[in-house]
Amino acid sequence: MLVSISLAIFGLWLDLSLVWMFSGAIFALIAWDLNQFQEKLSLLPDREDKRGMTRRRLIRIAFLAVIGLMIAVGIELLFSN
């Protein structure tokens, strides 16, 4: 995760597209979060609603990813002029 965020910052320093660098950082954070969530689910007993928890987690992450990408696109449009 730290490597991908560092590479995204380095890409911004090289004047690469903000949207692509921001997207890479967002999806690295999503991958890290889902990995942590999977480890948490493996520790829960079988009687818990794992499918429901997973569905709700994915909906929240998708919502946050879309907001993050909209912010990145907005900043890119704002500073591209």
Side-chain angles (χ1 to χ4, degrees):
M1 180 182 73
L2 292 176
V3 171
S4 63
I5 291 175
S6 299
L7 287 173
I9 292 170
F10 184 68
L12 289 174
W13 183 65
L14 292 175
D15 287 333
L16 296 176
S17 173
L18 174 81
V19 175
W20 284 110
M21 297 300 107
F22 199 71
S23 298
I26 285 174
F27 289 116
L29 288 171
I30 287 172
W32 174 77
D33 181 68
L34 288 177
N35 184 33
Q36 296 296 316
F37 182 67
Q38 186 66 31
E39 288 179 11
K40 178 184 163 186
L41 279 181
S42 68
L43 298 175
L44 290 176
D46 288 334
R47 65 181 182 271
E48 293 291 329
D49 182 26
K50 292 182 181 182
R51 292 178 65 104
M53 291 172 68
T54 303
R55 184 179 63 248
R56 289 186 297 272
R57 182 66 157 244
L58 290 175
I59 289 170
R60 276 182 271 176
I61 287 176
F63 182 68
L64 290 173
V66 167
I67 289 173
L69 291 176
M70 287 188 331
I71 290 171
V73 168
I75 290 173
E76 180 76 23
L77 291 175
L78 184 68
F79 290 115
S80 67
N81 295 331

